[in-house]
Amino acid sequence: MRIAVANWTARRAGGVEAYLGLLIPALRSHGHEVFFWHELDEPTNREPIPGATDGPRASLSDGGSTTALERLRAWRPDVLFVHRLDRPEHERALLAMAPGVFFVHGYHGTCISGTKTTTLPVAQPCTRVFGPTCLVHYFPRRCGGRSPITMLSEYRRQTARLELLKQYASLVTFSEHMRREYLNHGFDQRRVTRLPAVDPMERVPRSHRTNENAPAGHTSVTRIAFIGRVDRLKGLDLLVEALPLIRKAVGGRLMLTVAGDGPDLARCQQLAATIGPQLADTEILFLGWASPVQCQAVLETTDVLAVPSVWPEPFGLVGIEAARHGVPVAAFKVGGIPEWLEDGRNGALAPASPPTAAGLAAAIERCLSPEIHRAIHIRTAGIVDYSIDHHIAQLLPVLMEAGLK
């Protein structure tokens, strides 16, 4: 089968690109031809997606959209597998070439800002069906910024996206939460498929944790990690604010490692500079953007992974990575997170109505208990298959069926 994979970038920018770095080589290893089509080639300081530049490809940077689209049209794909694209007109042009399957990694076409979150009076997930009433609530509930021009332009763009989604043969996603999102927006349940999740670090060689049966509270250092994009809805500020409460609950030294960058990084660093010096034996380390190998190294030396997102995470692949490393996760009960985080077994869920630093601190403290550390090592003994091959076995029938339409 000739499969055209489309994404906004050819570089590792986030979780979508980590997934594509596993998917593209695996599809080729299964005997399929893959063309990679992308809009941009940035951020330039990030490494390319594995496999994205090893075969036929086209980009807007290679002569503009007309040239890039003509290259793909000449390749004659059987099916399109579309991920995140920034411009609806590119989706429209692609869908004129071949039937498509869309992977809904986020709230594509169902929210003006794409966050599915209101922030006034506090940050809360939104369950509203996208439509004109979203314009009424946008400013009073602080769904996004303060510019009416941006609000209207983004509303038009998301409306176009939602209409384009109706042209795809199928939608696929990692979580039941996201599947329900599109069923609520009128999509036929036969066209929206939940696929098994993939561990983004599957192809990164693993080493073994040396203290896997000992909770952090029994060691001289308690290590907490945050891995991901740093923006306001990812909740790193709440994690920093929770440190004084965590400090009271644990003995020995306390270390927080932040692996990631983003628009809220400077504010969180300033907050850490204010809080950190007030806490004895506490260190806060900001690594900036980290490669998969660096992220694995962080997980292998941490006791708890904090996923303090206050927006409804579509899934949260970082939790799968943590589980495979035997690391419990503390997170708010939002979005698709409760689908993989079983409270008391592989971590602890904090209340999200509203999300607070105190609730997060309590969840982290529970993750340090011997009971959860014993439970997670029993649970992660290979009973769930997060391999890319298992994922592809269920993806291929969807792509093949679409290609026949």
Side-chain angles (χ1 to χ4, degrees):
M1 187 162 48
R2 294 168 70 83
I3 305 168
V5 176
N7 189 51
W8 75 278
T9 183
R11 294 185 178 269
R12 286 185 177 273
V16 175
E17 292 73 39
Y19 165 68
L20 292 177
L22 292 175
L23 176 77
I24 295 171
L27 286 174
R28 289 180 176 141
S29 72
H30 281 71
H32 302 283
E33 299 178 69
V34 178
F35 188 109
F36 187 70
W37 195 93
H38 58 106
E39 294 171 312
L40 303 174
D41 191 26
E42 55 185 52
T44 55
N45 63 337
R46 305 285 178 83
E47 59 191 46
I49 297 171
T53 58
D54 296 342
R57 55 179 287 272
S59 166
L60 302 189
S61 60
D62 299 331
S65 59
T66 300
T67 300
L69 290 167
E70 284 302 322
R71 285 183 182 177
L72 178 56
R73 185 178 289 106
W75 191 75
R76 299 182 66 182
D78 296 319
V79 66
L80 306 167
F81 191 25
V82 180
H83 296 265
R84 176 189 160 191
L85 293 176
D86 280 344
R87 294 167 61 178
E89 60 266 31
H90 293 155
E91 275 190 75
R92 192 175 296 110
L94 291 173
L95 286 168
M97 298 182 198
V101 173
F102 189 89
F103 199 126
V104 283
H105 295 279
Y107 298 96
H108 191 89
T110 68
C111 174
I112 297 178
S113 66
T115 65
K116 208 69 179 180
T117 304
T118 60
T119 61
L120 281 180
V122 294
Q124 293 280 280
C126 174
T127 59
R128 190 178 307 280
V129 172
F130 179 72
T133 56
C134 294
L135 294 169
V136 177
H137 292 274
Y138 186 85
F139 289 121
R141 299 301 303 275
R142 194 60 57 79
C143 301
R146 301 183 181 185
S147 166
I149 296 174
T150 299
M151 177 188 72
L152 291 172
S153 64
E154 286 302 302
Y155 178 79
R156 286 193 293 267
R157 184 164 74 145
Q158 295 291 5
T159 299
R161 283 177 164 174
L162 188 59
E163 286 302 310
L164 281 169
L165 285 179
K166 297 174 183 178
Q167 298 181 29
Y168 284 89
S170 294
L171 309 183
V172 296
T173 187
F174 278 139
S175 70
E176 183 62 26
H177 168 76
M178 290 305 296
R179 182 174 180 271
R180 289 195 303 268
E181 174 75 9
Y182 286 89
L183 297 184
N184 290 341
H185 280 78
F187 287 82
D188 190 305
Q189 62 180 351
R190 293 169 295 183
R191 294 181 54 215
V192 189
T193 302
R194 176 189 176 185
L195 296 174
V198 178
D199 179 0
M201 292 189 183
E202 180 193 351
R203 299 292 170 85
V204 179
R206 301 178 186 278
S207 59
H208 297 285
R209 290 170 62 85
T210 57
N211 64 335
E212 63 180 23
N213 294 315
H218 291 185
T219 65
S220 59
V221 183
T222 298
R223 295 179 173 88
I224 302 168
F226 172 98
I227 299 175
R229 178 173 168 79
V230 184
D231 63 40
R232 285 181 179 267
L233 296 183
K234 289 290 187 177
L236 178 58
D237 56 341
L238 286 177
L239 176 56
V240 174
E241 291 173 9
L243 289 178
L245 296 172
I246 300 169
R247 171 71 277 169
K248 293 179 181 179
V250 300
R253 292 174 54 219
L254 176 63
M255 176 181 291
L256 168 62
T257 300
V258 177
D261 62 11
D264 203 36
L265 181 60
R267 187 177 72 91
C268 290
Q269 287 175 320
Q270 184 176 12
L271 181 62
T274 301
I275 292 177
Q278 302 175 21
L279 305 176
D281 296 323
T282 299
E283 180 180 358
I284 305 173
L285 178 62
F286 289 89
L287 300 180
W289 183 83
S291 69
V293 172
Q294 291 172 308
C295 290
Q296 176 178 297
V298 170
L299 284 175
E300 288 177 347
T301 56
T302 198
D303 301 297
V304 180
L305 176 71
V307 183
S309 294
V310 297
W311 80 303
E313 285 279 357
F315 185 71
L317 284 176
V318 70
I320 303 303
E321 301 170 19
R324 291 284 292 273
H325 283 80
V327 177
V329 178
F332 293 113
K333 190 177 181 179
V334 292
I337 288 176
E339 295 182 33
W340 53 261
L341 203 170
E342 298 179 57
D343 192 79
R345 298 192 65 187
N346 62 338
L349 287 166
S353 299
T356 65
L360 181 63
I364 290 173
E365 185 178 355
R366 288 179 57 211
C367 284
L368 297 171
S369 69
E371 293 77 17
I372 286 184
H373 272 256
R374 282 194 295 267
I376 191 172
H377 290 291
I378 293 172
R379 187 181 183 277
T380 56
I383 59 172
V384 180
D385 188 351
Y386 291 120
S387 70
I388 188 64
D389 289 336
H390 178 60
H391 173 82
I392 283 180
Q394 297 191 42
L395 169 64
L396 284 175
V398 179
L399 294 176
M400 289 177 178
E401 182 179 354
L404 294 174
K405 295 182 178 180

